[in-house]
Structure formats: structure tokens, C-alpha cells
Amino acid sequence: MATLAWAQPGTAPLPAPKPPIRVGVIGPFTGPSADFGVPMLNGIQLAVNEINAVGGYLGQPLELVVKDDQADPDLGRQASEALVRDKVQATIGFCNTGVAAKSLEVFQNAHIPLIIPCATGTALTTRFPAPESYIFRVQGRDALQAPFMVDDLVKRGWDRVALFADTTGYGEGGHNDVVAALAARQLKPVHVARFALGVKDLSEELKRARAAGANVVFTYTVGPENAVVANGRKALGWKVPQVGPWPLSFPNFIEGARDAAEGALMVQTFIAEPSNERRAAFLASYARQYKVRRIPVPMAAANAYDASYLLMYALLGLRDGQISGEAIKASLEGRMKTYYGVVATYDKPFSPQDKEAISANMLVMGQIKNGAVTFAYPEDAKRNLFVQRKQ
């Protein structure tokens, strides 16, 4: 039986509501990587709530179809295939490089744009020829993070690097990027340690690194293994700095290592300080919606929030209102208006040849101070008053 829209006598029937635009979201919302998967999901939901509050896309709300990959590559592949069956128009997601790598072809073959706000593995956006690729990213890839950190080490005089990297796809890619960044400076690691996730004791590897004369420990892992390294250094009484990519800002490191985490340096795109109006508004909205005083991994939330708005701006760039994966891809690559985001100002963030929205000038150095992440350099804090544009 048909449902009729009631109207007062003499008035036209109310128009039927427009169908929602289905947007996939995939990430580790339970399991060992949930500490940054949940903030990613929350950042997406916060943006979508704001977008829908002002009418969505021409009256069509965005509807999130959420899948939990539990940081498991096989589950991620199954969830990705389910999103295709669910007929999503685009997807935002993936925190773990290895999980994303196993699912990329699902979105590529279905011509469904995928915007990655967290996973940093350099190879993710180079799997397919750039003009044909449906894989985009709003995150500083490892090929940016590794040389950014290496440049800082050289500036500080720390040139004898012990490299500790896990054996996941993330750790393997990060290891290769760090070695390449060091080679560009005519340097080599004085010691390399590889380990599986779940390791509880790396004291023997740390002793070897100390014997090799290392004056800094560069860790490339995403889990509590960062804390295993820090606590092992403390137990040995080995007072050398620990540095690395953005996972050193995660709670499983800061809380797991406690005072052994103090002073650690890591690469960031976003530090949760209200340095300008956009960032202050985002932090206040997140705190209000999720009733928290501190975002567990602010970078995951902010990158995902911006990725959601970039998708919305891509929709608004569709010239004929006809939504398809091909049309969204083309809009992301050049038809969008400038989006003044939280992490950056996105003026032509993508092109047919470039699927990376984050450039090196958008990175800052974070440091653990009193159990929280803040700016390592006062000049970065001042520079952060102005949101950067891609270079």
C-alpha cells in the first residue's frame, strides 16, 4: 500500500524526502587499534552531523555505513566487500597499513573513492597508476614522516640511529622509508631490530643497540610495543631519546610507558591546542559531543573530520548532480572549492597525478611533556596559528 504525504486542502502534496547518500566507514573500532580507530570514527561522525544539520548534499543527508575491521586484514577485506554490496558512494577509512593494503583493490575495482585519514604506509596511494587510482589520503604518509624526523635528528646531532620496527606491513614500509631518509643524509642505522607485534621484552635488542653506540632510538610500530622499548630503555638505565612517527602520540605508548615516555618526539599533522578559531571550534565540538576532556588520538580525529568535509566538497563540485564514483573522483581531483579545514587549508588537495592531501610543510614536531603531546618547538606553536596550504 502506497504511503501518501498529507497536505492541507488546496495545497500541493509534500515532496517525498530525498534518499540518503551512503558513505562507508571502515576502521578498527574494537581490538588493539581501537585507541585511534574510535577517534577517527568520531571525527567522521562529528563532520557528518554538522553537514546533515545544514541539509546535507542538496537536501540529501549523508548516511554512514560503519564496518569494524578490528585491525585484521582478512576481516577488513570482508568488510570492504560488504560496503560494495551495500552500495556506498564513497568510503572513508583504514587506520592500519596492512589492513588497508589487502582491501585497496576492492574499492579500485568497484570505482568507489576511498579516502584514508589514518593509515600512513607510503605504498597505499601508489598501488595503482595515479590517473586511474580511486585511493586518496588525508594523512602524512611515511615517506614524509620519516625524512621529517631524520632531518630533525641531524639538526640535534643525533646521527647514530638504532631502528626498531615491527614486522607488519606498517613496520616494513616504515623501516624502508627511514633507511632511505638516513641514506639521503649519508647515514645508516647502527643497529636494526625487527620484532612481531605482541613482543613483551626487547632488552637484548636494546643492549645490542647500546653496544653499537646508538644515541637515539627510532621506533616504527603502531601498538604498545613502543612502550616496551621505552620501558626497556628505562630498565637498562640507558638515557637516549626515543623518536618516531605519529604512533608515539597514542595512549598505549604514553600511558604504557609513563615517565619513560617523557621527552619522546613524534611527527604530527595536528596537536590538540586551540591555536586558531577553526581548531578551537573543532576541539570544543568534539568535547561537547563525546563528553571527553581530551581526544585519545587527536590527529586521527582531525584528519578524519577534514576527510569527511573534503568528500562533501567533492559532492558539491558535481556539475550535474549525478552522483557516481567516477564523478566524485573527478571532483576530488580538481573541481572542488577551497576547504578551510582543521589540519590544513585544502586548495586543490588532489589532482589526477597526486592523491596525497598532506605536504611536508603541514607537519610539526610533537613532544611528550607531562604525559601529553605538545609542540616540541616554540616556533612551530607560533606557525600553527596559521593553517598551512599544500606546497
Side-chain angles (χ1 to χ4, degrees), residues 309-318 327-328 331-332 335-336:
Y309 268 101
L310 286 174
L311 174 58
M312 183 61 198
Y313 272 53
L315 290 170
L316 293 171
L318 301 182
I328 294 171
S331 188
L332 284 168
R335 297 178 182 171
M336 300 165 44

Side-chain angles (χ1 to χ4, degrees), residues 94-351:
F94 291 113
C95 287
N96 305 88
T97 293
V99 180
K102 192 158 187 175
S103 293
L104 295 182
E105 65 182 5
V106 174
F107 298 99
Q108 181 70 18
N109 293 342
H111 289 190
I112 295 174
L114 169 67
I115 305 177
I116 301 172
C118 286
T120 60
T122 300
L124 295 181
T125 50
T126 60
R127 172 80 65 85
F128 310 107
E132 303 166 16
S133 180
Y134 282 75
I135 313 303
F136 300 81
R137 177 157 44 196
V138 184
Q139 167 63 294
R141 65 193 183 278
D142 291 327
L144 285 184
Q145 294 197 41
F148 185 82
M149 180 56 75
V150 167
D151 288 348
D152 189 73
L153 300 186
V154 172
K155 182 171 65 175
R156 292 171 182 264
W158 301 336
D159 56 356
R160 297 183 60 80
V161 178
L163 176 56
F164 281 63
D166 69 39
T167 53
T168 66
Y170 173 71
E172 180 66 21
H175 165 274
N176 294 340
D177 285 327
V178 172
V179 170
L182 288 170
R185 290 281 195 162
Q186 289 77 52
L187 296 172
K188 292 182 179 180
V190 298
H191 179 75
V192 175
R194 304 301 303 275
F195 52 88
L197 292 185
V199 67
K200 303 298 183 184
D201 184 1
L202 287 167
S203 57
E204 291 304 313
E205 289 285 3
L206 287 164
K207 288 176 183 176
R208 294 187 186 100
R210 182 173 62 180
N215 58 10
V216 62
V217 176
F218 200 135
T219 53
Y220 233 101
T221 185
V222 75
E225 293 76 16
N226 276 317
V228 172
V229 173
N231 290 326
R233 286 189 301 104
K234 179 182 176 182
L236 292 174
W238 188 27
K239 296 182 180 180
V240 294
Q242 184 170 345
V243 305
W246 74 301
L248 287 180
S249 67
F250 291 9
N252 54 27
F253 172 64
I254 298 172
E255 296 170 6
R258 297 188 180 275
D259 61 325
E262 283 293 304
L265 296 165
M266 80 294 298
V267 185
Q268 299 279 275
T269 60
F270 175 80
I271 291 177
E273 296 186 10
S275 52
N276 60 46
E277 186 176 351
R278 294 180 223 168
R279 293 180 177 130
F282 166 75
L283 292 169
S285 295
Y286 191 104
R288 184 168 54 251
Q289 175 144 340
Y290 300 109
K291 297 178 174 57
V292 295
R293 294 182 60 187
R294 178 185 294 181
I295 306 174
V297 182
M299 203 168 140
N303 289 350
Y305 179 89
D306 279 0
S308 305
Y309 268 101
L310 286 174
L311 174 58
M312 183 61 198
Y313 272 53
L315 290 170
L316 293 171
L318 301 182
R319 293 173 181 173
D320 55 8
Q322 297 299 309
I323 300 173
S324 69
E326 292 86 350
I328 294 171
K329 173 182 180 294
S331 188
L332 284 168
E333 292 172 346
R335 297 178 182 171
M336 300 165 44
K337 292 184 178 180
T338 299
Y339 165 53
Y340 298 94
V342 172
V343 172
T345 292
Y346 301 91
D347 183 16
K348 295 182 174 61
F350 306 112
S351 75

Side-chain angles (χ1 to χ4, degrees), residues 30-94:
T30 60
S33 294
D35 57 347
F36 63 122
V38 171
M40 181 193 81
L41 174 60
N42 289 348
I44 295 167
Q45 186 67 70
L46 180 62
V48 168
N49 288 350
E50 293 171 358
I51 290 165
N52 286 342
V54 293
Y57 170 66
L58 304 180
Q60 291 179 265
L62 304 188
E63 177 184 84
L64 298 181
V65 182
V66 179
K67 303 292 184 184
D68 182 4
D69 64 34
Q70 299 179 42
D72 181 290
D74 292 328
L75 288 178
R77 175 78 180 217
Q78 295 169 18
S80 299
E81 292 168 347
L83 287 173
V84 173
R85 292 194 298 272
D86 288 338
K87 300 187 183 303
V88 298
Q89 300 283 5
T91 293
I92 304 169
F94 291 113

